[in-house]
Amino acid sequence: MDKLIIEGGVPLQGSIQVSGAKNAALPILMACLLAEGTVNLSNVPRLADIHTSLKLLNILGCETTFDGNDATSTCNGLKPEAPYELVKTMRASVLCLGPLLARLGEARVALPGGCAIGARPVDLHLRGMERMGATFELTEGYIKGYCPEGLKGAHITLDFPTVGGTENLIMAACLAEGTTILENAAREPEVEDLANFLNAMGAKITGHGTSVITIEGVSSLKGCDYRVMPDRIEAGTYMVAAAITGGELKILDCPISAMDSVSSKLREMGVSIEEEEGGVLVRRANGLLKNVDVTTLPHPGFPTDMQAQLMALMCFGQGAGTIEEKIFENRFMHVLELVRLGADVRLKGRTAMVHGVGKLTGAPVMASDLRASASLVLAGLAAGGSTTVERIYHLDRGYENIEAKLSGVGARIKRVKA
């Protein structure tokens, strides 16, 4: 099992490239199941979850290739079963449910199982598809879905703006008979990217990016060429890397228009963010940082996926600030690891009080999930001495070549076999 060893205290300088968005690429890959013909995708990040998705598509009857950051998929002769062996490794696998029901009229998808950062139930997915005429039974650890007469358009109001549920229902509705209206839909940029991709294949989707999305069903979708959007969470992580080390980074291909809440909080803390041709220049505005209060919320609120990274930065801010986690009930597992580095963070329920300490000291730490991993790497970059981050397989699920990218801007970071 690999680990990262970081010798901290080096201000990062230079340009760093943002990869394609994992959270956009995963549903887009599942949406390939809807296409008659070949889909050519570019800007696909080379991540463990992407490889798992391609394996799943192969099991479901697709032919796929992955060369560099280009992926192709041709899905003919589909099979309806997504086995537990793959689904258990990646919760996004459940996003094949809607496309399989729409294309085949049946699906057998393993239940995703538990998650370290909290429950992510699929009941909202199922309830929405039941409104469209599907029936489900849960047996032997599988969701078995049926709609032998095809899905029908419906008016669906989600109890919560679930990202995965919104994506699954949009994909299912594309081939449904009639019009589907989703209310209280997720507004995340990755949902928009999925809808743009589906429209490129011939779908008729409007309202994506708002809380009401309308999908007019069509009889079939065709293959297309499409470029996956850049990763706003990766971009935000590198913004924090510039600020936490007191350096200056130009973030190339930064999706700044999708990052208003993150940019706003960073500027409030004293981070300069300037748009330039080809990227965004990030540095501390006057050398000082001040702590802020943050509440994670569905988009356009502050993203839960940036909470841990911002907490690492707040360890170097002046004064105290609070972070309230309203999306997942168990997403503060990085706190005890930051405390090992010298952070002053106190937990009360779903709120963390962060007191700036000005400096951290390197120590061995262990990652518990993807974004916790990122926060520990960021803390290690700024800490004095050596930090070892264990269990970085979490990191590899969401960041493409992170140690190479950081090394390229001056970080003293290396991957070693544990």
Side-chain angles (χ1 to χ4, degrees), residues 164-355:
T166 299
E167 292 168 341
N168 231 339
L169 293 171
I170 288 174
M171 290 187 283
C174 284
L175 297 182
E177 180 183 335
T179 299
T180 298
I181 299 174
L182 293 181
E183 294 207 44
N184 198 28
R187 299 165 60 183
E188 271 70 6
E190 295 80 12
V191 174
E192 283 193 74
D193 208 36
L194 171 64
N196 290 335
F197 167 67
L198 290 165
N199 282 343
M201 293 200 298
K204 296 182 179 180
I205 305 169
T206 57
H208 41 297
T210 76
S211 60
V212 181
I213 301 175
T214 301
I215 309 102
E216 183 182 339
V218 298
S219 60
S220 64
L221 297 176
K222 63 182 186 302
C224 70
D225 297 342
Y226 193 79
R227 185 177 189 272
V228 175
M229 69 174 286
D231 194 315
R232 63 191 172 105
I233 304 302
E234 183 187 13
T237 301
Y238 295 143
M239 286 181 175
V240 172
I244 202 169
T245 63
E248 181 176 281
L249 291 178
K250 184 172 183 179
I251 317 296
L252 303 178
D253 208 14
C254 177
I256 191 67
S257 63
M259 300 176 64
D260 287 348
S261 61
V262 172
S263 299
S264 176
K265 282 299 174 185
L266 289 175
R267 288 186 171 116
E268 191 179 340
M269 288 188 70
V271 180
S272 170
I273 301 171
E274 301 175 9
E275 294 186 55
E276 297 186 345
E277 184 176 354
V280 173
L281 191 67
V282 183
R283 57 181 174 79
R284 293 190 192 183
N286 57 13
L288 299 176
L289 297 169
K290 62 178 182 179
N291 282 335
V292 296
D293 296 330
V294 179
T295 300
T296 65
L297 291 167
H299 192 80
F302 191 90
T304 181
D305 280 353
M306 278 299 300
Q307 175 255 105
Q309 298 92 309
L310 195 76
M311 184 182 291
L313 183 61
M314 288 172 65
C315 293
F316 293 85
Q318 295 181 323
T322 60
I323 298 177
E324 184 179 5
E325 175 58 60
K326 285 198 168 183
I327 305 299
F328 294 119
E329 71 274 16
N330 193 25
R331 206 168 199 183
F332 282 135
M333 289 184 289
H334 50 282
V335 168
L336 292 179
E337 302 303 304
L338 289 173
V339 169
R340 285 178 54 79
L341 300 174
D344 183 357
V345 185
R346 302 170 193 180
L347 290 178
K348 186 175 181 180
R350 294 172 74 156
T351 300
M353 174 71 75
V354 186
H355 294 265

Side-chain angles (χ1 to χ4, degrees), residues 23-91:
N23 288 342
L26 294 179
I28 285 173
L29 284 170
M30 293 301 105
C32 292
L33 292 164
L34 294 166
E36 297 178 8
T38 299
V39 174
N40 300 302
L41 300 174
S42 58
N43 203 36
V44 180
R46 296 195 72 86
L47 302 170
D49 283 2
I50 298 297
H51 289 288
T52 300
S53 294
L54 292 169
K55 286 180 184 176
L56 178 57
L57 290 179
N58 290 336
I59 287 174
L60 293 172
C62 302
E63 295 179 6
T64 66
T65 64
F66 195 19
D67 182 16
N69 293 108
D70 298 326
T72 67
S73 175
T74 306
C75 296
N76 298 315
L78 290 181
K79 303 169 186 176
E81 181 170 328
Y84 176 68
E85 288 70 23
L86 277 181
V87 175
K88 71 178 180 181
T89 66
M90 186 186 69
R91 296 190 59 89

